[in-house]
Amino acid sequence: QLQLVESGGGLVQPGGSLRLSCKAPGFTLTSYAIAWFRQAPGKEREAVSCISVSRGTDYAEAVKGRFRTVRDAAGNTVYLQMNDLKPEDTAVYYCSGNWNPRSPICTLQPNYNYWGQGTQVTVTS
């Protein structure tokens, strides 16, 4: 069973940057579409970004131009690079995955079978 583990969250000032990591101990993620979601207190979970097995990406409007999702060369880790962070980016961030070795695209719909436990990102001055 694939288990996803996020790391890299923390406290940052507005305008700062963080890089989140998503790994699956004992697995490579090369055949999995991976997506990032977030949930702020009192709000519903929302999509942030996704990356397909062929490295195609998609982003929510709220983060376009500021966030970037990439895979490392070995295929073991998916990163969410977050720049120019804003207080409204404060949330628990989750990575999620689906076995999808043939699709060149990914989805921002929460139709993912595997989910991590989340990592807290707090943006405040």
Side-chain angles (χ1 to χ4, degrees), residues 22-23 25 44 54 59 72 75 102 120 124:
C22 176
K23 297 183 180 182
E44 293 188 357
S54 58
Y59 297 91
D72 72 340
R102 293 183 177 83
Q120 176 70 46
T124 182

Side-chain angles (χ1 to χ4, degrees), residues 40-118:
K43 295 188 177 181
E44 293 188 357
R45 188 173 296 187
E46 63 177 4
V48 175
S49 69
C50 66
I51 186 165
S52 72
V53 296
S54 58
R55 304 174 188 264
T57 55
D58 198 5
Y59 297 91
E61 286 296 325
V63 305
K64 278 184 179 177
R66 299 188 298 123
F67 290 13
R68 184 168 178 244
T69 295
V70 297
R71 294 181 182 270
D72 72 340
N76 295 325
T77 306
V78 173
Y79 298 104
L80 179 65
Q81 177 66 45
M82 305 186 294
N83 299 324
D84 189 22
L85 282 160
K86 304 176 180 181
E88 51 264 42
D89 294 318
T90 295
V92 178
Y93 283 70
Y94 301 88
C95 73
S96 59
N98 266 352
W99 172 264
N100 205 345
R102 293 183 177 83
S103 176
I105 62 174
C106 60
T107 178
L108 294 177
Q109 296 299 314
N111 303 329
Y112 289 84
N113 294 321
Y114 305 101
W115 292 81
Q117 294 299 306

